[in-house]
Amino acid sequence: MFKANDLKLNIKQILAISEKELKLHLRYGFKFALRYIKPLVSIFIPYIILAKIFSLSEAFYFDYYTEYNFLLFLLIAYCINYMFGILDLYKETFRREKIWQTLKGLIIAPFNRFNLIVGLLITELIIIIPTVAIFIMICYILFPIPLISLLHFCSIFLAIIIIFMGIGVLIGVIDIVNEDISNLLSYSAKFISWLSCVTYPLKLFPRILQFFIRLNPFYYIFDLLKLSWWAGIDPIDAYKYISWQHYFVLFTMAIGIPIIALCSFERIYNRYGITGY
Amino acid sequence: MSDFAIQTFDLSKKYKLKKGGYVQALNKVNISIKEGEIFGLLGPNGAGKTTLVEILTTLLQPTSGYAEILGYNVLKQANKIKNKLGLMLGHEIIYYRLTGKDNLKFFARIYNIKNFNKKIVELATIFGIENWLEEYVEKYSRGMKLKLALCRVLLIEPEILFLDEPLLGLDPNTIKQMIDILLDLNQTILITSHQMHVIQQVCDRVAFLNKGNVIKVDTQENFQKLMRETIYIRIELPLEHLNKLKQELSTLDYIIEFLDEKRGGIIHMNSKNNYPDLLHLLSTYPITKIQEVEPTLGDIFIELSKI
């Protein structure tokens, strides 16, 4: 039977986890600041390269990337790159708590294990959202779109956060059982994400790579995110590139991955009790 | 409802080894601890003490057998006992990169403790760490970390305390202070240690654990009697007299064994009643040093394994 007190206690515990995590993050300010700088670096070089290419001729375009809008896609790419931190969030936290032996304190507490996942995600969102919001505002100032298009963009963004969280939990759970495999998975996830045209347009890649990129589900969700903004500016052009596959991949991943991750978390938690490594 | 706060029934735990085979960490352990009792688990490293504590506190699952805490099955009704347990694993379960106060506040909020700020100050004052609460734990000494860990456990007001090696590495004054605090609690406490003097001062009953087996469960009085009866005397003498002394000692029925050392040896005898007789014998030798040695945990195990 659901009780209001239970909800209150769960919220208290989630907030306690978030506050604790934030304090741990803020303990080392420079390391924390680097999280903001790293994604900037990741779009700086692509900006120089794309600016040079487009300056060669006004007639150049690669799919929906043109001289006039490539900056918009790079700003969105910054937001995506910044979210990649979620992929390693649970792995790093579980590993740290395992080494510090502090997770035992939570396991024996009258504590819903899912509060840990939610608490960690909230911390990450508190860190991510202000920066992402600033970049979205810059995009909005430079490339204004109707409010409905902005909401469409934000919903897709939220779905991507959920997908990243699911993958992050999955990697974190595997890390409890086998650190080696989780390192491999973590790297693979980053590699697959990299091979998904976050910053560069698909047409810029060699044909053989384009084939592999088209097999990559991340390509479709990042493509959809970028195109959802472009659809607010030039819907006719944008909907030439948006297909049902984009939405299908997004919904399947946003629903499937968190379910698989949470089931795995529950199973591993019960079987190994986190300490079973 | 059972009279016992903690009961185990043929509790066993095996750990699988990478190279194949198993380690039997616990082997059909049966213990019963009454409410309000301070129960000691004594054993060398690897005896299975921590494994037992981890199973009783729902951290580990046993391979077979089961345990009950306040009448609830640890495996099947873990959620009903979690807010009744307090676990201190040495100075573990502390975030070193947070301040002492942030650590205590965090766990108070997880356990939904009311008015925790006041309680934190009260407990810290009792343990003498109130001026350190705003400092990062990584700056704390070992003793202060242990005090903070005990503060954390007491803050959540558990019905049963599990203390795993709570006083290891502390100076005698701090140990005495901590023992006084534990004795004042009037709670059910399961305390594990390989420091005999700690167990001796705190516990009502003691279980001796070795290689996963409970060798003996006894009262503190019987334990102390055993300690008194087990006497070790270290002697030093010119080595040319050693063989003759050993020969004479071997004829005495109250001498259990003689353990050779570099400058003499240790005489192990089974009763203090024969002390005068032994001293008389030793006075006929040019003994340069004589000293009674406190039996080690290993010695007690040897004694117990003979019972």
Side-chain angles (χ1 to χ4, degrees):
Chain A
M1 188 77 174
F2 180 79
K3 290 178 195 162
N5 280 348
D6 288 347
L7 178 68
K8 214 172 145 186
L9 175 63
N10 282 327
I11 292 172
K12 263 187 185 180
Q13 291 181 334
I14 288 169
L15 293 179
I17 294 274
S18 296
E19 191 186 312
K20 183 255 298 175
E21 284 301 314
L22 267 181
K23 281 179 177 166
L24 287 170
H25 277 294
L26 292 170
R27 178 73 205 280
Y28 296 101
F30 190 64
K31 190 182 169 194
F32 187 68
L34 276 177
R35 286 197 57 182
Y36 294 87
I37 297 163
K38 274 183 194 169
L40 267 182
V41 176
S42 72
I43 61 164
F44 185 65
I45 300 296
Y47 177 81
I48 294 171
I49 293 169
L50 289 173
K52 183 72 185 170
I53 291 169
F54 287 120
S55 72
L56 295 175
S57 165
E58 274 191 26
F60 271 172
Y61 71 94
F62 302 96
D63 296 332
Y64 49 88
Y65 274 66
T66 65
E67 185 188 3
Y68 305 103
N69 66 11
F70 80 95
L71 179 62
L72 165 70
F73 302 132
L74 287 181
L75 291 171
I76 294 172
Y78 172 87
C79 298
I80 296 169
N81 285 333
Y82 195 64
M83 281 197 303
F84 281 147
I86 301 177
L87 293 179
D88 282 338
L89 164 71
Y90 294 98
K91 181 187 87 174
E92 284 172 4
T93 312
F94 291 163
R95 192 179 287 182
R96 185 196 68 205
E97 300 261 347
K98 201 166 87 175
I99 292 165
W100 289 1
Q101 304 272 13
T102 41
L103 210 51
K104 288 177 181 176
L106 293 177
I107 295 171
I108 66 154
F111 175 78
N112 187 333
R113 63 196 71 169
F114 292 109
N115 291 350
L116 179 65
I117 289 180
V118 179
L120 292 176
L121 184 66
I122 286 176
T123 315
E124 197 64 12
L125 293 182
I126 290 170
I127 298 167
I128 287 175
I129 283 174
T131 319
V132 167
I134 290 170
F135 271 77
I136 291 176
M137 271 168 62
I138 297 170
C139 290
Y140 193 75
I141 293 163
L142 298 176
F143 304 93
I145 51 170
L147 193 65
I148 189 81
S149 299
L150 187 64
L151 285 174
H152 181 220
F153 173 85
C154 290
S155 329
I156 295 169
F157 201 88
L158 190 70
I160 295 175
I161 289 178
I162 292 169
I163 293 168
F164 275 29
M165 185 209 77
I167 297 170
V169 171
L170 209 56
I171 293 171
V173 163
I174 290 166
D175 193 75
I176 294 163
V177 187
N178 191 323
E179 279 185 29
D180 224 18
I181 293 177
S182 92
N183 284 331
L184 182 72
L185 271 180
S186 171
Y187 190 78
S188 305
K190 278 178 197 150
F191 182 75
I192 292 167
S193 309
W194 172 79
L195 207 67
S196 55
C197 299
V198 176
T199 43
Y200 295 104
L202 179 70
K203 283 276 166 66
L204 211 62
F205 286 83
R207 241 173 222 290
I208 181 75
L209 266 183
Q210 281 185 34
F211 171 76
F212 287 111
I213 290 168
R214 282 184 198 280
L215 295 175
N216 180 357
F218 281 101
Y219 162 70
Y220 293 94
I221 58 172
F222 299 150
D223 206 36
L224 182 61
L225 185 73
K226 288 183 280 186
L227 283 167
S228 67
W229 194 289
W230 188 233
I233 298 168
D234 187 348
I236 296 167
D237 186 45
Y239 281 102
K240 279 197 291 190
Y241 300 98
I242 298 175
S243 64
W244 66 270
Q245 286 104 318
H246 285 88
Y247 285 101
F248 177 76
V249 172
L250 182 78
F251 286 125
T252 310
M253 286 177 84
I255 295 166
I257 290 176
I259 290 173
I260 294 168
L262 295 178
C263 290
S264 310
F265 178 67
E266 178 80 358
R267 197 180 156 87
I268 300 280
Y269 201 103
N270 283 338
R271 190 169 166 197
Y272 293 92
I274 301 289
T275 53
Y277 53 93
Chain B
M1 179 72 85
S2 162
D3 287 341
F4 295 106
I6 302 169
Q7 264 187 303
T8 67
F9 303 89
D10 288 338
L11 205 60
S12 297
K13 178 73 185 175
K14 277 180 185 176
Y15 289 111
K16 202 174 174 183
L17 294 174
K18 269 189 181 170
K19 59 182 179 183
Y22 293 89
V23 166
Q24 189 80 42
L26 289 177
N27 187 23
K28 294 189 174 175
V29 169
N30 290 292
I31 54 167
S32 302
I33 302 170
K34 290 177 202 152
E35 281 192 43
E37 190 176 25
I38 302 184
F39 191 89
L41 267 182
L42 201 56
N45 292 330
K49 305 186 296 289
T50 304
T51 300
L52 180 57
V53 167
E54 292 197 335
I55 290 174
L56 292 175
T57 52
T58 73
L59 281 171
L60 270 181
Q61 295 196 355
T63 314
S64 64
Y66 69 101
E68 284 182 0
I69 302 279
L70 299 167
Y72 295 110
N73 189 310
V74 169
L75 284 174
K76 294 174 184 162
Q77 296 166 295
N79 286 338
K80 292 195 173 173
I81 54 171
K82 285 194 168 188
N83 58 355
K84 302 180 195 309
L85 307 179
L87 170 66
M88 177 190 177
L89 288 171
H91 49 67
E92 288 176 6
I93 318 186
I94 294 177
Y95 293 93
Y96 283 24
R97 290 185 179 175
L98 292 180
T99 65
K101 192 172 186 178
D102 283 340
N103 266 284
L104 297 176
K105 270 170 71 177
F106 171 66
F107 283 102
R109 289 168 71 186
I110 292 291
Y111 278 84
N112 200 22
I113 304 295
K114 309 270 183 279
N115 301 322
F116 56 78
N117 281 320
K118 195 179 158 204
K119 283 177 191 162
I120 287 171
V121 176
E122 280 172 9
L123 277 168
T125 310
I126 293 171
F127 284 95
I129 54 168
E130 69 276 20
N131 295 329
W132 286 81
L133 281 179
E134 302 293 343
E135 299 293 332
Y136 287 110
V137 177
E138 57 201 11
K139 286 185 184 172
Y140 285 27
S141 68
R142 186 186 172 86
M144 281 159 61
K145 282 177 195 155
L146 284 173
K147 285 176 179 178
L148 182 71
L150 202 51
C151 275
R152 180 186 63 76
V153 176
L154 296 179
L155 179 70
I156 61 175
E157 298 168 349
E159 287 180 39
I160 302 177
L161 279 172
F162 291 88
L163 310 176
D164 189 22
E165 299 287 3
L167 309 175
L168 194 64
L170 293 183
D171 61 81
N173 282 340
T174 315
I175 288 178
K176 191 182 175 310
Q177 190 194 0
M178 299 276 266
I179 284 173
D180 289 343
I181 291 167
L182 290 179
L183 289 173
D184 283 344
L185 289 174
N186 290 323
Q187 270 180 304
T188 309
I189 303 176
L190 191 150
I191 180 166
T192 78
S193 181
H194 59 264
Q195 295 168 288
M196 280 203 301
H197 61 284
V198 171
I199 295 287
Q200 204 176 339
Q201 289 177 68
V202 178
C203 300
D204 302 315
R205 282 193 307 143
V206 180
F208 293 89
L209 211 60
N210 194 26
K211 292 179 183 168
N213 293 291
V214 175
I215 297 175
K216 191 176 170 68
V217 182
D218 219 331
T219 60
Q220 183 62 254
E221 291 74 33
N222 286 343
F223 169 57
Q224 288 194 354
K225 197 174 152 206
L226 183 73
M227 293 269 285
R228 279 196 299 274
E229 285 172 356
T230 309
I231 296 162
Y232 290 83
I233 298 162
R234 173 175 280 128
I235 55 162
E236 286 180 15
L237 76 167
L239 293 180
E240 59 267 28
H241 300 280
L242 191 60
N243 280 341
K244 192 177 169 229
L245 174 65
K246 277 165 78 174
Q247 218 169 16
E248 277 198 70
L249 288 172
S250 66
T251 61
L252 302 173
D253 58 352
Y254 58 84
I255 300 294
I256 297 167
E257 61 187 334
F258 184 88
L259 306 163
D260 283 312
E261 284 194 322
K262 212 174 174 181
R263 293 176 189 162
I266 294 176
I267 301 166
H268 180 190
M269 59 192 288
N270 63 11
S271 169
K272 257 187 181 160
N273 297 338
N274 302 100
Y275 220 7
D277 189 33
L278 178 70
L279 287 177
H280 182 258
L281 170 70
L282 292 177
S283 66
T284 60
Y285 285 87
I287 304 288
T288 54
K289 191 176 176 183
I290 182 162
Q291 178 196 9
E292 190 173 328
V293 204
E294 192 187 337
T296 64
L297 199 58
D299 301 328
I300 294 291
F301 284 131
I302 291 166
E303 284 301 305
L304 283 168
S305 56
K306 289 175 188 163
I307 295 169

Coordinates of all heavy atoms in Angstrom, one line a residue, chain A residues 6 15 22-23 31 42 61 66 70 78 81 100 103 106 109 111 114 120 144 169 174 180 182 199-200 223 234 259:
Chain A
D6 N 6.0 7.3 3.0 CA 7.0 6.6 2.2 C 7.6 7.5 1.2 O 8.8 7.6 0.9 CB 6.4 5.3 1.6 CG 6.1 4.3 2.6 OD1 6.6 4.4 3.8 OD2 5.4 3.3 2.3
L15 N 17.3 13.3 -2.0 CA 17.9 14.6 -1.8 C 19.2 14.5 -1.0 O 20.2 15.2 -1.3 CB 17.0 15.6 -1.2 CG 15.7 16.0 -2.0 CD1 14.8 17.0 -1.3 CD2 16.2 16.6 -3.3
L22 N 26.9 16.1 -4.6 CA 27.3 17.5 -5.0 C 28.5 18.0 -4.2 O 29.5 18.5 -4.7 CB 26.2 18.5 -4.9 CG 25.3 18.7 -6.1 CD1 24.2 19.7 -5.8 CD2 26.1 19.2 -7.3
K23 N 28.5 17.7 -2.9 CA 29.6 18.1 -2.0 C 30.9 17.4 -2.4 O 31.9 18.0 -2.4 CB 29.2 17.8 -0.6 CG 28.3 18.8 0.0 CD 27.9 18.5 1.4 CE 27.1 19.7 2.0 NZ 26.4 19.3 3.2
K31 N 38.9 20.1 -11.0 CA 38.4 18.9 -11.7 C 37.0 19.1 -12.2 O 36.6 18.7 -13.3 CB 38.5 17.7 -10.7 CG 38.3 16.4 -11.4 CD 38.4 15.3 -10.4 CE 37.9 14.0 -11.0 NZ 37.6 13.0 -10.0
S42 N 35.9 19.9 -27.6 CA 35.4 18.9 -28.6 C 34.7 19.6 -29.8 O 34.5 19.0 -30.8 CB 34.5 17.9 -27.9 OG 33.3 18.5 -27.6
Y61 N 27.5 22.2 -49.3 CA 26.6 21.8 -48.2 C 26.7 20.3 -48.0 O 27.0 19.6 -49.0 CB 25.1 22.2 -48.4 CG 24.4 21.5 -49.5 CD1 23.7 20.3 -49.2 CD2 24.6 21.8 -50.9 CE1 23.0 19.6 -50.3 CE2 24.0 21.1 -51.9 CZ 23.2 20.0 -51.6 OH 22.6 19.3 -52.6
T66 N 24.9 23.6 -43.5 CA 25.3 24.6 -44.5 C 26.2 25.7 -43.8 O 26.3 25.6 -42.5 CB 24.1 25.3 -45.1 OG1 23.4 26.0 -44.0 CG2 23.1 24.4 -45.7
F70 N 25.7 25.6 -39.5 CA 26.6 24.6 -38.9 C 26.9 24.9 -37.4 O 27.2 24.1 -36.6 CB 27.8 24.3 -39.7 CG 28.9 25.3 -39.6 CD1 30.0 25.1 -38.7 CD2 28.9 26.5 -40.4 CE1 31.0 26.0 -38.6 CE2 30.0 27.4 -40.3 CZ 31.0 27.2 -39.4
Y78 N 27.8 20.3 -28.5 CA 28.4 20.5 -27.2 C 27.5 19.9 -26.1 O 28.0 19.3 -25.2 CB 28.6 22.0 -27.0 CG 29.0 22.4 -25.5 CD1 30.4 22.4 -25.2 CD2 28.1 22.6 -24.5 CE1 30.8 22.6 -23.9 CE2 28.5 22.9 -23.2 CZ 29.9 22.9 -22.9 OH 30.3 23.1 -21.6
N81 N 27.8 16.2 -26.2 CA 29.1 15.8 -25.6 C 29.2 15.9 -24.1 O 29.8 15.1 -23.4 CB 30.3 16.6 -26.2 CG 30.6 16.2 -27.6 OD1 30.4 15.0 -28.0 ND2 31.0 17.1 -28.5
W100 N 35.6 2.6 -1.3 CA 35.5 3.3 0.0 C 34.7 2.5 1.0 O 34.7 2.9 2.2 CB 34.8 4.7 -0.2 CG 35.6 5.7 -0.9 CD1 36.9 5.5 -1.4 CD2 35.3 7.1 -1.2 NE1 37.3 6.7 -2.0 CE2 36.3 7.7 -1.8 CE3 34.1 7.8 -0.9 CZ2 36.3 9.0 -2.3 CZ3 34.1 9.1 -1.3 CH2 35.2 9.7 -2.0
L103 N 29.2 1.9 0.4 CA 27.9 1.4 -0.1 C 27.3 0.4 0.9 O 26.0 0.3 0.9 CB 28.2 0.7 -1.5 CG 27.0 0.7 -2.5 CD1 26.5 2.1 -2.7 CD2 27.4 0.1 -3.8
L106 N 24.7 2.0 2.9 CA 23.4 2.2 2.2 C 22.6 0.8 2.1 O 21.4 0.8 2.2 CB 23.6 2.8 0.8 CG 24.1 4.2 0.8 CD1 24.3 4.7 -0.6 CD2 23.2 5.1 1.5
A109 N 20.9 0.0 5.2 CA 19.9 1.0 5.7 C 18.5 0.7 5.1 O 18.4 0.0 4.1 CB 20.4 2.4 5.2
F111 N 16.5 1.5 2.9 CA 16.7 2.4 1.8 C 16.4 1.8 0.5 O 16.8 0.6 0.3 CB 18.2 2.8 1.9 CG 18.7 3.6 0.8 CD1 18.5 5.0 0.8 CD2 19.5 3.1 -0.3 CE1 19.0 5.8 -0.2 CE2 20.0 3.8 -1.3 CZ 19.8 5.2 -1.3
F114 N 16.6 2.1 -5.6 CA 16.4 3.0 -6.8 C 16.6 4.4 -6.4 O 16.8 5.3 -7.3 CB 15.0 2.7 -7.4 CG 15.0 1.3 -8.0 CD1 14.2 0.3 -7.5 CD2 15.8 1.0 -9.1 CE1 14.2 -1.0 -8.0 CE2 15.8 -0.2 -9.7 CZ 15.0 -1.2 -9.1
L120 N 21.6 10.0 -7.8 CA 22.8 10.2 -8.6 C 22.5 11.0 -9.9 O 23.2 11.9 -10.3 CB 23.5 8.9 -9.0 CG 24.2 8.2 -7.8 CD1 24.7 6.8 -8.3 CD2 25.3 9.0 -7.2
P144 N 16.5 31.6 -33.6 CA 15.2 31.5 -33.0 C 14.2 30.5 -33.6 O 14.2 30.4 -34.9 CB 14.7 32.9 -33.0 CG 15.5 33.6 -34.0 CD 16.8 32.9 -34.2
V169 N 23.7 3.1 -16.1 CA 23.3 2.1 -15.0 C 23.8 0.7 -15.4 O 24.4 0.0 -14.6 CB 21.8 2.1 -14.7 CG1 21.4 1.0 -13.8 CG2 21.4 3.5 -14.1
I174 N 27.4 -3.7 -14.4 CA 28.4 -4.7 -14.9 C 29.7 -4.4 -14.2 O 30.5 -5.4 -13.9 CB 28.6 -4.6 -16.5 CG1 27.3 -5.1 -17.1 CG2 29.8 -5.4 -17.0 CD1 27.1 -4.8 -18.6
D180 N 36.6 -5.2 -15.6 CA 37.3 -5.2 -16.9 C 36.3 -5.1 -18.1 O 36.5 -4.3 -19.0 CB 38.0 -6.6 -17.1 CG 39.4 -6.4 -17.6 OD1 39.9 -5.3 -17.6 OD2 40.0 -7.4 -18.1
S182 N 33.3 -3.9 -17.9 CA 32.6 -2.6 -17.8 C 33.5 -1.5 -18.5 O 33.0 -0.6 -19.1 CB 32.3 -2.2 -16.4 OG 33.2 -1.4 -15.8
T199 N 29.2 15.8 -34.2 CA 29.7 17.1 -34.6 C 29.7 17.3 -36.1 O 29.4 18.3 -36.6 CB 31.1 17.4 -34.0 OG1 31.9 16.2 -34.2 CG2 31.1 17.8 -32.6
Y200 N 30.2 16.3 -36.8 CA 30.4 16.4 -38.3 C 29.2 15.8 -39.0 O 28.5 14.9 -38.6 CB 31.6 15.6 -38.8 CG 32.9 16.2 -38.2 CD1 33.6 15.5 -37.2 CD2 33.5 17.4 -38.7 CE1 34.8 16.1 -36.7 CE2 34.6 17.9 -38.2 CZ 35.3 17.2 -37.2 OH 36.4 17.7 -36.7
D223 N 20.9 12.8 -34.7 CA 20.4 13.4 -35.9 C 19.0 14.0 -35.7 O 18.8 15.2 -36.1 CB 20.3 12.3 -37.0 CG 20.5 12.9 -38.4 OD1 21.3 13.8 -38.6 OD2 19.8 12.4 -39.3
D234 N 13.5 25.7 -40.7 CA 13.2 25.3 -42.1 C 12.6 23.9 -42.2 O 13.3 22.9 -42.4 CB 14.5 25.4 -43.0 CG 14.2 25.2 -44.4 OD1 13.1 24.8 -44.8 OD2 15.2 25.4 -45.2
I259 N 14.7 0.0 -18.9 CA 14.0 -1.2 -18.4 C 15.1 -2.3 -18.2 O 15.2 -2.9 -17.1 CB 12.9 -1.7 -19.2 CG1 11.7 -0.7 -19.1 CG2 12.4 -3.1 -18.8 CD1 10.5 -1.0 -20.0

